[in-house]
Amino acid sequence: MIASAGAVYAQAMEALSITSQGGQKHGFQVEVARNDADRAQGLMFRRSMAADHGMLFDFGRVEPVSMWMQNTYLPLDMLFIRQDGTIARVAANTEPLSTRTISSGEPVLAVLELNAGTAARLGIKPGDKVEHPLFRR
């Protein structure tokens, strides 16, 4: 049942890129969680995710947000993103299955979840720029 639940929540992939302050660009394919149900489901119950994939959580307005890892088996990097697309905070290597809240630290518009270690491996850090139509409105 859990395997089929993951398929139910699979969404169309959208292109997203992150440009470092040094100018290096990294491309990803992301699912976008735009409503309460999709944001609540997130990446729960999934056992794997391709290295260049992720999930972008669109909160629809700028506000402080908190995330958690309940029922999420994958360790993740969480990138908290301001309305202008700049990364405000990186919560690296979050703990799978934890109910501990992970705060944005400031008002943000979105959160990008990537496989744990991606931010460190690619040198992604606060101040880098996320490019996606969400940040052009």
Side-chain angles (χ1 to χ4, degrees):
M1 183 65 182
I2 291 173
S4 64
V8 169
Y9 290 98
Q11 300 174 18
M13 303 304 276
E14 299 180 16
L16 175 147
S17 64
I18 300 173
T19 304
S20 70
Q21 295 172 59
Q24 191 172 21
K25 193 171 196 169
H26 308 284
F28 298 92
Q29 290 293 312
V30 298
E31 295 174 59
V32 182
R34 292 184 169 94
N35 59 53
D36 289 341
D38 288 346
R39 286 189 294 270
Q41 179 67 29
L43 292 170
M44 289 195 309
F45 303 112
R46 300 202 194 172
R47 298 289 184 160
S48 65
M49 183 168 62
D52 65 342
H53 285 196
M55 180 170 275
L56 181 64
F57 293 76
D58 174 0
F59 289 96
R61 63 185 176 275
V62 177
E63 62 186 354
V65 300
S66 293
M67 306 289 283
W68 68 353
M69 295 287 290
Q70 184 175 19
N71 299 318
T72 305
Y73 295 101
L74 302 172
L76 299 168
D77 288 346
M78 293 182 185
L79 287 62
F80 295 88
I81 309 165
R82 298 179 186 107
Q83 186 171 13
D84 68 357
T86 58
I87 298 172
R89 175 174 185 248
V90 176
N93 202 23
T94 58
E95 180 184 355
L97 305 174
S98 173
T99 58
R100 182 180 62 86
T101 58
I102 303 160
S103 171
S104 60
E106 67 179 75
V108 297
L109 177 63
V111 175
L112 175 62
E113 292 182 341
L114 301 171
N115 285 304
T118 301
R121 180 173 50 83
L122 299 177
I124 296 168
K125 55 189 177 294
D128 290 354
K129 184 81 170 176
V130 178
E131 296 172 34
H132 181 273
L134 171 63
F135 306 107
R136 288 188 220 136
R137 39 175 160 171

